Amino acid sequence: MTTDDGMSPASQTPASRAGRGRGGGRGAAGRQRASHSLEAVVAEAVALLDESGEPGLTFRALAARLGGGVGSIYWYVSSKDELLERAADSVLADVLAKTDHLGAGDDPIAEIREMAIAFYEATVGRPWLGAYFLQDTGTQTNGLMLYDRMGREVMRLDLTRRQQFDAVSAVMAYVVGVAADRGQDPPQEVRDGIVDRGAFVASFRDELRALDVDDFPFLHHIVDEFAAHDDAEQFRAGLDLMLAGLRLQAGSSSADTRAASD
Amino acid sequence: MTTDDGMSPASQTPASRAGRGRGGGRGAAGRQRASHSLEAVVAEAVALLDESGEPGLTFRALAARLGGGVGSIYWYVSSKDELLERAADSVLADVLAKTDHLGAGDDPIAEIREMAIAFYEATVGRPWLGAYFLQDTGTQTNGLMLYDRMGREVMRLDLTRRQQFDAVSAVMAYVVGVAADRGQDPPQEVRDGIVDRGAFVASFRDELRALDVDDFPFLHHIVDEFAAHDDAEQFRAGLDLMLAGLRLQAGSSSADTRAASD
DNA sequence: ACCTGAACACCGTTCAAGT
DNA sequence: ACCTGAACACCGTTCAAGT
């Protein structure tokens, strides 16, 4: 209900300050007063998110972990939304680091494949970030960098600009979609380790088997595949479908089509 | 913190009761006491979600719209999470209705394309549901039905069960991913109609242009495409890449490949 | 069987006050 | 320039009480 006039203290915090870093404040003077940094705040937020999901990220819990008061977080971040954006973006920083070596190979599509897989791997076990990629350009430069890095590969293909733009968007969307889908796979007990993954898959398998065969012929048809499947493999299978289509569109004659194998 | 023992009153509500429907309670007797139904609760929740997004869905706001007390919602639904699951599933009911006529055509992949587009169209303007599809099998039968319907088309292709399973999962994930991506496109002002879509796109275009060309060569390369692109078209372009790959995998010789057109 | 509304625990955000 | 913590408004959920 209150209109945001952009005058909160955090809006005075220059984003360029993001590269400072001060450490834990275990120095000589401070014992009572805590001292943070943007990176420390975001890093601790990611840790909290990974441990207990989105509902686990609380300003109070975060402040406790940082050893300070609730209010001080607002010096670095103007809202919980911005905190989540920065957390998601910091995950993409890892992806960028792991795909830094790419771009030299002679097959652009193979490079895109590697980037997408690295992106996927960063989302495994992080159901919370599905919805926060590319939220705001201002705070999320890493998302744009990954987008651009993938785009540079696509530029090497014989495609129109529109086709290049669409291709990168499609691959990114697919990765996000798989991440979002997998996010809700294990409902809670699995995350906490109360029920192991195998038991969860088995009980879902039984649920599928209990459905009427006439109403759900396909689910019955693939129920064993479901029980035996590996998420990462399935991700790659779908990615390869998309990349095979891209290769076709680019009129590839150099490399053989890569999908349709496993 | 409290462990859910599954003993809440809502767990006694049989899901089979979902097909009752009682109306608004504008009858002869009731003037003080409100009377609801599962469908009314979910329908009003969807309306609230569409109007003001996920933060707009509040038990108090929902109760006010239904003309009753907060507590009564818990008779139909055991938590906000379940309410969101049912809301997402009710959107899928529309998709099912709109794809009911499909399945008779001679090109299975074209049918899949229609289903995916119908699914996509249902997500337009609903950034809230990206994360709630296929959450829980028990409450979300429509998701499984759509999955199965698409699967029945894939069964007609010459593929292994694993390939069929992977293909349906890939298409579904892609749709969800596009929905999630588009979810955060307009940051707030656009939703509220304060700033129109065109102005938002233009300002983002300018933001891209302001980036260093050496750091973001691809973004500069496609900046005009971005300003001119249509979301639905871009969705179809990516879908067609994936389906072209699928057609290739199925060893299609009957129909010509459909991607690589616009 | 279903609805009510006060009460509880908790959360994001603000702000006057400190250093 | 940055940290503190009480205070505020609001939210999901519970529950004894009603019909």
Side-chain angles (χ1 to χ4, degrees), chain B residues 169-181:
Chain B
S169 299
V171 172
M172 296 287 278
Y174 173 65
V175 179
V176 170
V178 173
D181 257 3

Side-chain angles (χ1 to χ4, degrees), chain A residues 8 11 17 58 63 67 80 126 142 154 156 165 189-190 194 198:
Chain A
S8 64
S11 66
R17 191 157 49 71
T58 284
K80 188 173 183 179
R126 299 183 200 265
N142 290 330
V154 168
R156 295 162 62 191
F165 177 40
E189 302 92 334
V190 181
I194 301 167

Side-chain angles (χ1 to χ4, degrees), chain B:
Chain B
M1 288 296 164
T2 46
T3 42
D4 183 4
D5 56 7
M7 284 302 195
S8 65
S11 66
Q12 298 160 19
T13 310
S16 55
R17 190 155 50 70
R20 250 177 64 249
R22 181 103 73 80
R26 274 274 190 177
R31 182 175 276 170
Q32 328 260 33
R33 243 182 107 161
S35 173
H36 315 308
S37 71
L38 218 205
E39 309 90 71
V41 169
V42 173
E44 217 62 53
V46 171
L48 216 38
L49 250 4
D50 285 346
E51 285 169 30
S52 35
E54 194 165 335
L57 179 61
T58 284
F59 274 77
R60 277 162 245 258
L62 184 55
R65 277 175 84 118
L66 289 164
V70 240
S72 55
I73 299 169
Y74 281 89
W75 178 258
Y76 299 96
V77 127
S78 71
S79 69
K80 187 172 183 179
D81 248 36
E82 191 194 319
L83 182 59
L84 281 160
E85 281 176 40
R86 288 197 194 274
D89 204 49
S90 91
V91 171
L92 289 182
D94 293 350
V95 178
L96 282 175
K98 281 189 180 131
T99 56
D100 205 18
H101 62 102
L102 295 174
D106 53 319
D107 184 356
I109 291 183
E111 309 280 275
I112 293 168
R113 200 179 113 104
E114 293 305 310
M115 291 179 194
I117 288 173
F119 187 8
Y120 165 80
E121 280 167 356
T123 69
V124 172
R126 299 183 200 266
W128 51 271
L129 43 63
Y132 288 96
F133 287 120
L134 298 171
Q135 189 104 316
D136 180 51
T137 324
T139 54
Q140 289 187 286
T141 33
N142 291 330
L144 288 185
M145 289 184 95
L146 181 60
Y147 200 90
D148 197 89
R149 183 170 292 179
M150 211 178 266
R152 289 201 284 274
E153 300 307 315
V154 168
M155 282 174 77
R156 295 161 64 190
L157 299 173
D158 186 28
L159 298 171
T160 67
R161 283 174 205 235
R162 168 59 55 90
Q163 285 172 329
Q164 291 170 352
F165 177 41
D166 290 345
V168 177
S169 299
V171 172
M172 296 287 278
Y174 173 65
V175 179
V176 170
V178 173
D181 257 3
R182 206 182 0 72
Q184 42 263 35
D185 234 4
Q188 178 92 15
E189 302 94 333
V190 181
R191 293 213 61 184
D192 300 345
I194 301 167
V195 176
D196 69 302
R197 167 98 191 158
F200 169 70
V201 170
S203 92
F204 187 65
R205 189 220 323 133
D206 294 342
E207 248 183 273
L208 290 182
R209 285 221 179 91
L211 295 171
D212 194 305
V213 200
D214 295 327
D215 291 340
F216 299 94
F218 177 66
L219 292 179
H220 275 269
H221 184 66
I222 52 95
V223 87
D224 292 329
E225 297 299 328
F226 170 80
H229 91 282
D230 173 75
D231 280 342
E233 253 181 56
Q234 185 163 71
F235 165 77
R236 275 182 258 117
L239 178 65
D240 284 338
L241 286 182
M242 192 173 262
L243 293 181
L246 183 61
R247 207 180 280 280
L248 199 68
Q249 186 177 246
S252 156
S253 47
S254 58
D256 50 7
T257 33
R258 165 182 297 254
S261 50
D262 57 310

Side-chain angles (χ1 to χ4, degrees), chain A residues 201 205 222-231 233, chain B residues 162 165:
Chain A
V201 171
R205 190 216 326 129
I222 52 94
V223 89
D224 291 329
E225 296 300 328
F226 170 79
H229 90 284
D230 173 76
D231 280 342
E233 253 179 56
Chain B
R162 168 59 55 90
F165 177 41

Side-chain angles (χ1 to χ4, degrees), chain A residues 56-210:
Chain A
L57 179 60
T58 284
F59 275 78
R60 277 161 244 259
L62 184 54
R65 278 175 82 121
L66 289 164
V70 240
S72 56
I73 299 169
Y74 281 90
W75 179 258
Y76 298 97
V77 126
S78 72
S79 70
K80 188 173 183 179
D81 249 35
E82 191 193 319
L83 182 58
L84 280 160
E85 280 176 41
R86 288 197 193 275
D89 203 49
S90 91
V91 171
L92 289 181
D94 293 349
V95 178
L96 282 175
K98 281 190 179 131
T99 56
D100 206 17
H101 62 102
L102 295 173
D106 54 319
D107 183 357
I109 292 183
E111 309 278 278
I112 293 167
R113 200 179 113 105
E114 293 305 310
M115 291 179 194
I117 288 173
F119 186 8
Y120 165 80
E121 280 168 355
T123 69
V124 172
R126 299 183 200 265
W128 51 271
L129 42 64
Y132 290 95
F133 287 120
L134 298 170
Q135 189 104 316
D136 179 51
T137 324
T139 55
Q140 291 187 286
T141 33
N142 290 330
L144 287 185
M145 289 185 96
L146 181 59
Y147 200 90
D148 198 89
R149 183 170 292 179
M150 211 178 267
R152 288 201 284 274
E153 300 306 317
V154 168
M155 282 174 77
R156 295 162 62 191
L157 299 173
D158 185 29
L159 297 171
T160 67
R161 282 173 206 236
R162 168 59 54 88
Q163 286 172 330
Q164 291 170 353
F165 177 40
D166 290 345
V168 176
S169 299
V171 172
M172 296 288 275
Y174 173 66
V175 179
V176 170
V178 172
D181 256 3
R182 207 184 355 72
Q184 42 264 36
D185 235 2
Q188 177 92 13
E189 302 92 334
V190 181
R191 293 212 63 182
D192 301 346
I194 301 167
V195 176
D196 68 302
R197 166 100 190 156
F200 169 70
V201 171
S203 92
F204 188 65
R205 190 216 326 129
D206 294 343
E207 247 183 274
L208 291 181
R209 285 220 179 93

